[in-house]
Amino acid sequence: MKESDKVVVGLEIHVGVTKKIKTKLFCSCALPEKESSPNSNLCPTCLGMPGSKPVLNKKVLEIAVKLGLALNCNIQKENFFSRKTYFYPDMAKNYQITQYESPLCINGHLRFKDKVIRIRRIHIEEDPASIQYPKEIDNSEYCLLDYNRSGIPLCEIVTEPDLSSAEEAREFLEYLISIIDYLDIYDSKNFTIRVDANVSLPGTKRAEIKNISGFKAVEKAIGFEVIRQKGKLRRNEEFRQETLHFDKTSGRIIVLREKEFEEDYGYIYDPDLPKIIISDEFVKKIKNEIPELPTEKIERLIKQYNISEYNANVLVSEREICDLFEESIKKVDKNLTINFIAVTLKKILNYNKLKLKETKLTNNNFIELLQMIEKNELTPRMGDLLLRRLIFTNKKTKELADEMGFSKINNFDKSIERILKANKDAVNDYKKGSSKALHFLIGQVLRELKGRADAKLIEKKLLEKIK
Amino acid sequence: MDAKNILNEARSLNKRYNFFITINESFLEEPFLKKASGKNAKPSGKNYNEKVKLISVKDNICTKGLRTTAGSKILDNYVPVFDATVIEKIKGKYGVVGKTAMDEFGFGSFSTNCAFNVPKNPLDETRTCGGSSGGGAGYTYLSKYSDSSIGESTGGSISCPAAFCSVVGITPTYGLVSRYGLIDYANSLDKIGTFGKTVKDAVKLLNHIAGYDKKDSTSIKKTKEDYEKYLGKNSKLKIGIIKEFSNGEGISKEVEKEFWNGVKKLENEGMNYDEISFSLTDVFIPTYYIIAMSEASTNLAKYSGIRYGASDELKGTFNEYFSHVRSNNFGKEAKRRILLGTFMRMAGYRNAFYIKALKIRSLIINEYKKLLKNYDVFPKFSEIEKLSPVEAYMSDLLTVGPNLAGLPMISVPVKKDRPIGMHFIADHLQENKIIQIGDFYERIR
C-alpha cells in the first residue's frame, strides 16, 4: 500500500437513545415524533429560559451503561455533567450539558472483521435544537429552529482512529447499529444517527466532517474528503485543522471554519447537577439485562445447529429473525426453516425495505406456513406468495391461504390427460430423448393447476402415463 | 388596613428610594386577597384579606406574568411564563407587592451596579443599601405594611444589605430552599433566603419557602422543620470568633466597637466565646470570585437575543447579531465578570484557576466543618467608601467564606436602627442554631 493511501478515520457517533424512555434527558417533556409539528414538545428547561433547571432522567444512565458494557467499556464510578460552552443558533443555553472529565464509559473495544476497533469513550449529552436551512448551510439568508429535538438524550460513542477507509467506516457503523438494535435502545423511526468523522492522511491535518446522517452519506463524505486531501497534498497546499460540512444533496464538502487551535469550550462542571455514583450492583444488574450479542450468537448458532457461517450471519442480522429461527426449528425441519428464512423471507424483507420487527409476521404464522409446506399442503412457491402477504396482515396463515385459493391439488389425473392429448409433439420429442420436452409438459400442467400442485409429483405422474 | 395603602406606600417609597424595579400594580386582583366572606367581591380596598401578608421579592426570582429583569437591561422586557418554586409555595399566604432593586444579576455588594435606578439607604439617603439584594432590605426596613422579603445570596447578598439597612437577613443552608425559577448567578453558590424587620418575621417567611423540590437537583431531601419553634429559646450556644476577621485590618473603629459590645452582651448572658484561627482566609476572595465568575459566564451565555429578552434588528451573521445584543445590553460589571469568568475556564488557565479554586473550596468547607464541631462562628461588617473593583471585591471577605461552604447564617442589627450587623454562622442544616442565637441576641441587645 502506498503511504498516501493510509487513510485514518475516527468516528463520533451520536445515538438518540429514546427507545425505552418517555421523556427528554433533563425535563419532563414528552419525546417528539417525526410527525410532531415544530416546536410543540417544549418547556422552560429545554428552551433554556432564565430560572429553569435540569433534572436528570435516570433511566438514561441504565441505557448508557448497557451500551458501554456491550462495547466492552469500563464503567466509571463517579460521574459528573459538564457545561460545554459555545455560541450556536441551535443551542438553547449556548452551553450543552455533556460529560467531559468523566465520561460514563471508557476504554472499550469492538471486534470487527479481523480488527479491533477501540472505543475511547461513551458519554451522555443533550441534543441541541435542529436547524433547517432554506438553502445550503453556506448560502442561506436565515435558518429556522425546531426545539423539539432540544434535550433529547444522546449517547456519543467516540472511537479511536482505527478505521482505514470510507467503506470500512460504513461497514463498522452498520455493525455497530446491529448491536444497538440488539440492545433495543434506539428508535430508528423517529431519530437519525448522526456521525462526525475525523479524517486524515499521512502529511495532512485532521479534518472533522460534522453531522453526517445516513451511513451511505458517511462513506461518501469520507471518500470525498480523502480525495480533497489528496488533491491538496498534490498541489502542496498548507493544511489547517478544518471543520467541514457535507451537503448530501449536492455531495459537496463545505469548509465551515479553519482553526489553528483546538476549539476551546471552557468546560466547567454543571453546578445544577450533583455527582452521580454508579454502584457495582447497578452495573451487575444491567449486565444481566444485556441480551446475547451478534458475535456470540453467531458462534453459538454454528456450534449448536451445525449451520454455515453465512447462514448464521443472515440469522443474526436482526435479533427478531434469529428468534424466529430458534422458535421455528422446535417444530419444523431445520433445513427447510433456514432455507425459507435466509432466502425467501430475507428477499421479501429486502424488497420491501423492512425489518422483520416492522412487519406483522408472527412466529406462529410463520411456523404454520412451514408446517403446511412440510405436510405437502402448500408448495414452496405458494409459501413464498403467501409470505409476501402475510407480513402485512393480522390474518392467520390458514385463513389467508384459503382466501388466496392456496390449497394444494393432489389429484390431477384429468389435467395430465388433457395436456398429453393437446401436446402430442412434445410427448414424441420426449420419447426421442428430449428432457426439455418433459419440462415443458410439467410447466403446462402447473399452469393449468395455477401452481397448486407439486412439480415433482406432476413429473412422476406424467412419466407413468407416457410409459 | 386598606390594601390600596400598601400600593400607595410602595409607590411613594419607590419615588424617593428606588427600592423596586417593578411594582406589582395588579396584585389587588389576586383572588387570594379576597375576604373569605365576600365571594364575588372585587378584592380591592376594604375587601382585602388581612390574613394575607404582603412581601417584596428580589427581581431575579421568576414571577409568572410579572416582569422579572434580574436587574439587567437584557431582561428589561422579560415576563416569565412560570413561577419560581418559592413563589408557588407562598401562594395564598403572601402577596407580592413588587420586585426589588438589585445589582445586575447579583454582580455587586452595594446595589450600585444597576441597570435601573440605584436604591438608597433608608437610614441615610446618601449611602447605599448594600447588595446585591439591596431593594428588598431597604423596603423591609421602611415599609409600614410589609415585614419581610425574599432575597438571594451568592457571596453575601443577604447578610450585607441586611446589615446596611438594619434588618434581619437569613441565608439558609445551600439546598434548603429550591432554586427553581431563580435566575442563576453562580448555581453552586446561589441561595434564596429572607429578610425581616425582626428575626421572627424572617423566620416565618423561611418556614413557607424551605423544603425539598424535585425540580431542583441540588435541593436537599429532608423532613420539613418548623423554624418558629426555635424562637424565644434561651439555650446557651458555644461561640467561636475567627481571629483573622475580628482583628483584621481595614475595619472601622466604630464597627469594631459595636461588635465587641455585642459579644459582651452575649457573655453577660452566660455565653462564653473562644477566639479561634482559620487558616484559609487569605484565599476566600479569589476562590469565591473564580468559581462565581466561571459559573456566571456560562449562565449569561443564554442571553443572545433569540427567544427572550433584549433583541435587535436581524442583521449580519449570528455571531455579529448576538455580540451586538450583548454589547448593548449588559452592564459594565456583567461584561467584566463574563470576560474574567471565560478566561478562568479556558484551556491553559483552567487548571491554574477554575480547577484549583474547586479544590480550595473543599478545603475551606472541611475547615469550617472541623471548627463547627465545637462552635458557632461569627464575623461582622464594615462600612465602605469609594472603591476600585478589586477593593469592592475585597469587601466581601467576611461573607464569602460561609457562602462558599454553603453554611446557614443570620445577620441581626447590633442595635435597633443601627446599620451594623452581628453575623452568626452555623453548620449545614443547623438553622435552629442561627435562629436561636439571632432571636436571643435581638432580645438582649
Side-chain angles (χ1 to χ4, degrees):
Chain A
M1 190 159 68
K2 274 194 298 180
E3 185 67 10
S4 64
D5 288 337
K6 282 186 185 159
V7 179
V8 178
V9 178
L11 301 175
E12 291 164 25
I13 304 131
H14 300 84
V15 186
V17 287
T18 53
K19 184 75 180 283
K20 292 279 150 156
I21 54 170
K22 294 196 170 67
T23 56
K24 289 184 178 178
L25 183 53
F26 292 119
C27 60
S28 50
C29 282
L31 296 166
E33 292 177 356
K34 214 165 205 162
E35 306 80 39
S36 301
S37 56
N39 295 309
S40 57
N41 290 55
L42 311 172
C43 76
T45 297
C46 55
L47 275 174
M49 303 294 278
S52 64
K53 306 273 181 282
V55 176
L56 177 67
N57 180 346
K58 294 223 170 73
K59 190 85 190 153
V60 178
L61 283 179
E62 291 178 25
I63 293 168
V65 168
K66 195 184 258 187
L67 179 60
L69 290 173
L71 305 189
N72 307 300
C73 292
N74 295 330
I75 308 300
Q76 300 241 83
K77 226 181 170 85
E78 283 197 0
N79 284 274
F80 301 90
F81 283 97
S82 290
R83 293 177 171 183
K84 176 181 182 178
T85 310
Y86 63 102
F87 285 76
Y88 210 69
D90 61 5
M91 301 277 286
K93 306 176 286 296
N94 286 317
Y95 65 77
Q96 180 188 28
I97 306 179
T98 178
Q99 292 186 290
Y100 175 64
E101 261 98 344
S102 59
L104 185 57
C105 320
I106 51 168
N107 298 336
H109 67 267
L110 207 48
R111 275 180 205 291
F112 169 61
K113 296 188 161 176
D114 50 355
K115 274 179 133 178
V116 172
I117 308 298
R118 289 167 299 158
I119 307 292
R120 185 181 298 167
R121 56 189 284 164
I122 304 172
H123 64 256
I124 301 171
E125 64 182 26
E126 55 176 351
D127 210 350
S130 60
I131 309 186
Q132 281 169 28
Y133 296 97
K135 293 185 200 159
E136 287 174 355
I137 195 168
D138 57 344
N139 60 14
S140 293
E141 277 164 37
Y142 64 90
C143 66
L144 299 171
L145 293 169
D146 179 3
Y147 287 90
N148 279 354
R149 214 180 71 188
S150 176
I152 283 180
L154 298 180
C155 280
E156 180 176 336
I157 305 165
V158 182
T159 75
E160 296 291 346
D162 291 343
L163 294 157
S164 43
S165 76
E167 194 193 1
E168 194 177 71
R170 198 236 323 131
E171 287 173 351
F172 174 73
L173 283 172
E174 283 167 355
Y175 177 56
L176 182 66
I177 200 68
S178 74
I179 293 176
I180 290 171
D181 270 346
Y182 265 78
L183 298 175
D184 205 20
I185 55 177
Y186 166 62
D187 167 11
S188 58
K189 205 174 119 231
N190 290 307
F191 299 98
T192 324
I193 289 179
R194 299 192 308 278
V195 177
D196 298 341
N198 289 293
V199 183
S200 67
L201 296 170
T204 75
K205 275 216 176 97
R206 180 170 63 87
E208 185 180 21
I209 319 168
K210 283 254 179 211
N211 249 326
I212 324 168
S213 48
F215 297 162
K216 289 248 166 66
V218 171
E219 184 175 2
K220 263 193 198 166
I222 297 172
F224 287 170
E225 178 51 20
V226 168
I227 293 168
R228 199 181 69 98
Q229 289 190 12
K230 280 185 179 170
K232 283 182 89 168
L233 269 180
R234 232 188 352 261
R235 293 190 298 275
N236 245 331
E237 284 174 37
E238 192 195 335
F239 278 91
R240 287 194 168 191
Q241 209 160 311
E242 286 169 323
T243 304
L244 311 171
H245 171 80
F246 176 66
D247 191 82
K248 243 192 200 172
T249 7
S250 63
R252 242 176 3 123
I253 293 272
I254 299 168
V255 179
L256 289 182
R257 49 188 177 268
E258 285 187 353
K259 49 193 177 185
E260 286 175 45
F261 307 101
E262 279 290 319
E263 203 118 5
D264 194 336
Y265 294 115
Y267 288 97
I268 63 165
Y269 292 104
D270 193 316
D272 278 331
L273 293 159
K275 173 162 81 177
I276 303 153
I277 304 288
I278 306 272
S279 69
D280 293 344
E281 295 80 67
F282 182 81
V283 174
K284 219 173 180 180
K285 189 192 125 217
I286 303 292
K287 209 167 206 163
N288 288 333
E289 288 172 11
I290 293 182
E292 186 185 27
L293 295 171
T295 332
E296 313 154 27
K297 208 160 206 159
I298 288 172
E299 277 173 29
R300 178 176 65 81
L301 288 174
I302 294 173
K303 243 197 216 151
Q304 189 174 343
Y305 301 114
N306 190 25
I307 59 175
S308 72
E309 195 180 337
Y310 173 82
N311 278 337
N313 267 295
V314 173
L315 290 178
V316 300
S317 63
E318 200 185 328
R319 180 172 158 183
E320 285 73 10
I321 290 181
C322 195
D323 291 348
L324 180 65
F325 168 75
E326 298 203 80
E327 274 303 303
S328 300
I329 56 166
K330 286 181 194 157
K331 292 174 181 165
V332 191
D333 174 62
K334 184 183 80 187
N335 289 330
L336 174 66
T337 307
I338 283 207
N339 202 32
F340 228 75
I341 290 179
V343 182
T344 315
L345 178 62
K346 260 298 201 192
K347 177 192 70 189
I348 295 171
L349 292 176
N350 288 343
Y351 176 80
N352 288 294
K353 292 200 173 98
L354 283 172
K355 293 197 161 177
L356 179 58
K357 64 178 163 194
E358 292 160 351
T359 70
K360 288 186 170 171
L361 185 67
T362 61
N363 286 3
N364 281 343
N365 266 353
F366 186 74
I367 291 167
E368 199 179 346
L369 179 101
L370 294 182
Q371 283 172 332
M372 285 171 78
I373 294 172
E374 251 183 353
K375 283 190 237 154
N376 259 328
E377 291 168 27
L378 286 175
T379 64
R381 171 73 184 154
M382 285 171 175
D384 184 339
L385 294 172
L386 197 56
L387 193 57
R388 290 181 202 190
R389 284 183 56 186
L390 214 45
I391 63 168
F392 294 113
T393 180
N394 294 325
K395 286 176 188 160
K396 289 268 184 310
T397 306
K398 272 246 166 64
E399 200 184 338
L400 188 67
D402 286 346
E403 210 177 273
M404 290 172 77
F406 281 179
S407 42
K408 209 162 122 181
I409 304 168
N410 287 322
N411 189 356
F412 40 77
D413 292 353
K414 277 184 186 156
S415 294
I416 290 193
E417 272 168 32
R418 257 200 307 279
I419 296 296
L420 286 176
K421 239 180 228 168
N423 297 287
K424 289 201 166 132
D425 290 350
V427 176
N428 285 333
D429 286 350
Y430 171 69
K431 283 179 175 165
K432 281 177 199 158
S434 162
S435 59
K436 246 187 186 172
L438 180 62
H439 285 135
F440 170 76
L441 290 169
I442 295 169
Q444 290 299 309
V445 178
L446 261 176
R447 182 195 257 178
E448 188 169 309
L449 298 173
K450 293 191 173 107
R452 290 159 65 190
D454 187 55
K456 285 214 173 107
L457 196 60
I458 294 173
E459 183 180 342
K460 198 176 139 208
K461 294 214 168 175
L462 271 174
L463 291 176
E464 280 170 21
K465 292 275 171 186
I466 293 172
K467 275 172 193 168
Chain B
M1 179 169 57
D2 188 329
K4 275 185 185 156
N5 291 343
I6 300 171
L7 261 190
N8 286 336
E9 186 208 49
R11 286 192 197 114
S12 74
L13 283 179
N14 203 37
K15 219 175 233 173
R16 187 162 160 193
Y17 294 95
N18 305 320
F19 291 142
F20 291 97
I21 294 173
T22 309
I23 290 176
N24 187 7
E25 301 285 347
S26 62
F27 90 90
L28 290 179
E29 278 139 45
E30 299 266 4
F32 62 81
L33 289 178
K34 284 180 198 173
K35 262 193 178 170
S37 57
K39 257 189 187 167
N40 297 316
K42 271 231 150 207
S44 57
K46 283 166 191 130
N47 288 321
Y48 171 61
N49 180 352
E50 284 170 32
K51 279 186 188 152
V52 175
K53 288 189 160 192
L54 271 300
I55 56 165
S56 57
V57 173
K58 190 174 181 180
D59 202 30
N60 57 356
I61 292 166
C62 288
T63 41
K64 188 176 174 178
L66 180 62
R67 177 176 173 244
T68 300
T69 71
S72 179
K73 224 171 90 183
I74 211 157
L75 288 174
D76 193 0
N77 60 4
Y78 183 64
V79 179
V81 294
F82 65 95
D83 271 324
T85 297
V86 289
I87 299 298
E88 266 174 16
K89 287 195 168 197
I90 60 165
K91 279 257 158 86
K93 297 150 199 148
Y94 291 92
V96 176
V97 187
K99 305 298 288 292
T100 58
M102 58 183 285
D103 291 289
E104 182 174 9
F105 290 107
F107 298 157
S109 313
F110 309 106
S111 297
T112 48
N113 299 326
C114 297
F116 309 99
N117 295 324
V118 172
K120 295 176 190 165
N121 192 302
L123 299 156
D124 177 352
E125 285 172 59
T126 65
R127 291 171 191 257
T128 83
C129 281
S132 65
S133 314
Y139 173 68
T140 302
Y141 179 80
L142 277 187
S143 173
K144 273 191 281 180
Y145 306 109
S146 175
D147 58 23
S148 48
S149 175
I150 298 182
E152 177 272 336
S153 167
T154 306
S157 289
I158 292 176
S159 293
C160 167
F164 277 40
C165 297
S166 195
V167 292
V168 173
I170 297 180
T171 309
T173 306
Y174 179 82
L176 183 73
V177 179
S178 167
R179 290 184 296 113
Y180 186 79
L182 169 69
I183 298 181
D184 307 308
Y185 163 8
N187 320 47
S188 73
L189 292 152
D190 295 345
K191 299 159 293 285
I192 293 179
T194 61
F195 293 111
K197 281 182 188 292
T198 63
V199 174
K200 189 177 175 184
D201 298 328
V203 167
K204 276 189 162 169
L205 183 52
L206 179 67
N207 252 350
H208 287 293
I209 62 173
Y212 172 71
D213 177 16
K214 65 177 194 301
K215 287 191 277 189
D216 171 5
S217 312
T218 59
S219 165
I220 298 171
K221 264 186 194 155
K222 78 183 262 301
T223 43
K224 203 154 171 57
E225 203 174 346
D226 174 20
Y227 297 108
E228 272 188 79
K229 73 175 184 217
Y230 304 118
L231 296 168
K233 293 262 159 49
N234 286 336
S235 57
K236 301 204 169 20
L237 293 173
K238 253 193 142 178
I239 296 167
I241 294 176
I242 296 176
K243 271 191 275 189
E244 284 74 9
F245 295 134
S246 57
N247 305 328
E249 294 159 23
I251 291 170
S252 94
K253 285 272 162 286
E254 201 184 339
V255 173
E256 209 175 344
K257 206 178 87 196
E258 293 280 18
F259 172 74
W260 287 112
N261 278 344
V263 175
K264 287 261 156 58
K265 280 175 195 159
L266 288 171
E267 224 182 345
N268 293 342
E269 296 295 326
M271 281 198 221
N272 294 323
Y273 70 87
D274 290 333
E275 287 202 66
I276 52 177
S277 187
F278 200 110
S279 61
L280 293 159
T281 52
D282 54 333
V283 288
F284 276 14
I285 295 285
T287 305
Y288 167 76
Y289 275 102
I290 289 168
I291 292 171
M293 288 179 183
S294 297
E295 291 182 14
S297 63
T298 65
N299 285 325
L300 264 53
K302 62 166 75 76
Y303 306 105
S304 56
I306 292 197
R307 292 171 308 284
Y308 45 75
S311 59
D312 211 326
E313 193 193 335
L314 285 172
K315 238 180 14 191
T317 64
F318 173 66
N319 285 354
E320 287 160 356
Y321 172 75
F322 79 74
S323 304
H324 194 69
V325 171
R326 288 163 69 82
S327 306
N328 282 346
N329 293 286
F330 279 135
K332 205 171 170 181
E333 186 59 28
K335 285 176 189 163
R336 181 180 291 125
R337 294 194 189 200
I338 290 170
L339 289 175
L340 288 171
T342 306
F343 172 76
M344 291 183 291
R345 56 185 171 83
M346 266 169 62
Y349 302 98
R350 194 172 171 271
N351 286 336
F353 292 105
Y354 174 68
I355 297 292
K356 194 178 238 175
L358 292 183
K359 287 179 185 157
I360 296 174
R361 184 182 192 175
S362 348
L363 296 180
I364 293 174
I365 295 173
N366 289 343
E367 177 132 6
Y368 265 118
K369 297 291 269 188
K370 207 173 76 197
L371 291 175
L372 284 167
K373 276 190 184 144
N374 304 317
Y375 301 104
D376 302 289
V377 184
F378 56 94
K380 52 180 178 162
F381 283 95
S382 59
E383 291 181 350
I384 314 293
E385 280 143 41
K386 216 174 164 38
L387 300 167
S388 73
V390 173
E391 288 169 317
Y393 295 163
M394 288 307 291
S395 70
D396 294 335
L397 180 61
L398 302 176
T399 53
V400 292
N403 273 284
L404 275 170
L407 300 170
M409 54 199 131
I410 192 168
S411 176
V412 183
V414 284
K415 283 181 195 143
K416 205 171 176 314
D417 305 324
R418 276 290 273 159
I420 300 170
M422 287 294 274
H423 197 223
F424 303 96
I425 303 158
D427 204 350
H428 291 132
L429 294 176
Q430 296 194 335
E431 272 70 15
N432 57 336
K433 286 191 182 165
I434 57 159
I435 291 168
Q436 262 178 55
I437 194 160
D439 170 65
F440 183 74
Y441 180 80
E442 194 178 55
R443 280 181 276 135
I444 58 145
R445 68 187 170 186

